[in-house]
Amino acid sequence: MSDADEYPAMMAMHARCVSIISHLWGVQKGETAIGSATVGSSEAIHLGGLAMKRRWQEKRDKEGKDKSKPNILMGSNAQVALEKFARYFEVEARILDVSEKSLYRLDPELVKKNIDENTIGVFVIMGSTYTGHYEPVEEISNILDEYEKQTGIDIPIHVDAASGGFIAPFTHAKAGGRKWNFQLPRVKSINTSGHKFGLVYAGVGWIIWRDEAYLPNYLKFELHYLGGTEESYTLNFSRPGAQVIAQYYNLIHLGFEGYRSIMENCMSNARLLSKALEKTGWYICVSDIHRKKGEHVYKGPGEIEYGSEEETSADYNAGLPVVAFRLSDDFKKNYSHVKQETVSTLLRVKQYIVP
């Protein structure tokens, strides 16, 4: 990003961003969080995955066991960056099906069936790109805790919070009453995109490990370019620093209440659009942040109720302010000649990109 000796103020802002974000994510007393800005969540995910792979390799070396077949688990709803990590860094990607039954999220039961001694970690997503659902980090953590009790095998979690990392800490709904961050000992690292709900222009992500112990020394490089000594542990070296300045400005200028106000407004808008779509009877929302907390089933257009100005996201299911919808079964029956692809194409002609 920049040389620490030449631009000390820049590096100070960078360190403050890491500190602020790590505390937003529940870093625990006695732990020393460590992290870095990246060019986006893709690089951050790769770094989180590399750290898990290296820790697994070092453990296998100590035990004198084979380390040629590492695997990592993720849902089929995972963003392509997670699959890229597995392919680029030679890790078997065990991509588990998501379904309506699993609420379009990583299925804990499938996690239980697919972990083994070669599993370097589990990617859990806080905010699916497709439907906005938060995956059940705490439930998966409990499964891995039980697995460790039975086998002695310690499998970590990396949370891909590309979007949710700047939503769950601020909204009244949080993560729906469940833990998802460094409050869970099994969560070793988290990434987010500053250029999504961090409200910075494109080109900045963040990766944070809960403690220095979880970033292997093997991934650190010492630099001595201008006489001083600094550490580097990113894939990309030269990159603009303007986005870090913008991130620091937003965090200081908006503060907690400023971010909360913006995120709650986003959730309110998403709920309104979701309810308006379902009220027509033509559409059913796959996303469910507009349904009352604990309700996940569409009951028909007659059951749609618009909320009051006093309500908050805490009254509804937690998730991203995403509206994912499909044509209703009644619409398909009555207008079988109308295809979803056609609606998407017509919207695109009007400059609305709805895939």
Side-chain angles (χ1 to χ4, degrees):
M1 181 173 61
S2 63
D3 186 89
D5 293 307
E6 193 167 359
Y7 301 99
M10 167 73 74
M11 302 313 292
M13 284 186 277
H14 178 274
R16 290 171 188 171
C17 285
V18 169
S19 177
I20 291 169
I21 296 170
S22 66
H23 282 86
L24 276 175
W25 292 345
V27 67
Q28 299 296 291
K29 188 175 180 180
E31 295 181 325
T32 304
I34 187 172
S36 177
T38 60
V39 293
S41 272
S42 292
E43 182 186 6
I45 287 164
H46 290 187
L47 289 168
L50 277 171
M52 291 194 295
K53 181 182 178 183
R54 187 63 191 178
R55 290 199 308 271
W56 175 81
Q57 289 174 324
E58 290 174 352
K59 187 171 185 292
R60 301 289 284 183
D61 281 338
K62 286 181 182 177
E63 296 171 349
K65 295 180 179 178
D66 176 60
K67 58 180 183 181
S68 64
K69 298 178 181 178
N71 69 70
I72 192 162
L73 273 60
M74 67 189 81
S76 59
N77 59 329
Q79 208 264 357
V80 69
L82 282 70
E83 291 187 56
K84 279 185 177 181
F85 161 75
R87 186 180 299 182
Y88 290 172
F89 296 103
E90 299 181 328
V91 177
E92 177 197 349
R94 294 188 175 176
I95 300 174
L96 310 180
D97 289 338
V98 301
S99 63
E100 186 175 1
K101 176 177 172 289
S102 71
L103 301 178
Y104 307 100
R105 311 174 302 174
L106 181 61
D107 190 333
E109 290 303 312
L110 293 181
V111 169
K112 193 182 298 185
K113 294 176 183 177
N114 283 276
I115 50 179
D116 58 35
E117 65 176 352
N118 292 314
T119 302
I120 67 169
V122 181
F123 280 140
V124 188
I125 305 169
M126 275 298 287
S128 168
T129 303
Y130 300 103
T131 65
H133 288 95
Y134 289 158
E135 294 193 327
V137 186
E138 186 171 11
E139 187 176 349
I140 291 169
S141 177
N142 291 339
I143 287 170
L144 298 178
D145 287 345
E146 185 61 31
Y147 184 75
E148 183 177 6
K149 286 180 184 177
Q150 295 173 0
T151 65
I153 297 170
D154 180 9
I155 300 174
I157 288 174
H158 172 87
V159 175
D160 173 19
S163 294
F166 272 104
I167 295 177
F170 297 113
T171 56
H172 291 286
K174 299 190 179 298
R178 299 178 182 87
K179 296 177 183 177
W180 68 273
N181 55 21
F182 295 135
Q183 291 178 302
L184 295 171
R186 198 160 292 278
V187 175
K188 309 303 185 189
S189 53
I190 305 173
N191 70 273
T192 195
S193 293
H195 58 228
K196 291 189 176 77
F197 292 95
L199 308 179
V200 179
Y201 37 84
V204 65
W206 298 93
I207 170 69
I208 296 178
W209 290 270
R210 66 182 303 132
D211 190 78
E212 294 173 319
Y214 298 106
L215 175 59
N217 289 328
Y218 180 83
L219 300 181
K220 300 176 184 176
F221 290 84
E222 279 195 359
L223 309 176
H224 309 277
Y225 286 151
L226 295 181
T229 300
E230 61 180 288
E231 280 188 342
S232 174
Y233 40 86
T234 54
L235 299 177
N236 199 67
F237 186 67
S238 297
R239 64 184 187 276
Q243 291 90 340
V244 173
I245 297 172
Q247 185 73 84
Y248 183 58
Y249 173 80
N250 280 347
L251 290 169
I252 299 301
H253 172 67
L254 293 172
F256 189 90
E257 291 302 325
Y259 267 101
R260 166 166 281 184
S261 176
I262 291 168
M263 300 312 159
E264 280 291 326
N265 188 54
C266 288
M267 298 298 293
S268 178
N269 289 338
R271 288 197 300 270
L272 179 61
L273 177 57
S274 299
K275 291 180 178 182
L277 287 169
E278 289 194 336
K279 191 74 172 176
T280 67
W282 294 354
Y283 305 103
I284 296 175
C285 288
V286 178
S287 52
D288 61 8
I289 48 97
H290 63 297
R291 297 194 179 104
K292 290 294 185 179
K293 189 174 180 179
E295 296 180 7
H296 302 283
V297 179
Y298 172 67
K299 297 180 179 179
E303 299 294 320
I304 303 298
E305 294 181 2
Y306 292 103
S308 66
E309 291 186 6
E310 291 75 28
E311 69 181 11
T312 71
S313 60
D315 300 310
Y316 295 87
N317 292 319
L320 301 182
V322 167
V323 182
F325 58 98
R326 65 173 180 84
L327 294 176
S328 68
D329 294 337
D330 285 343
F331 183 92
K332 290 178 183 178
K333 181 180 178 181
N334 296 327
Y335 305 99
S336 58
H337 60 288
V338 178
K339 306 300 180 185
Q340 285 190 169
E341 294 84 353
T342 306
V343 178
S344 179
T345 301
L346 290 171
L347 285 168
R348 184 176 284 267
V349 169
K350 297 290 186 180
Q351 304 300 306
Y352 294 100
I353 301 177
V354 182

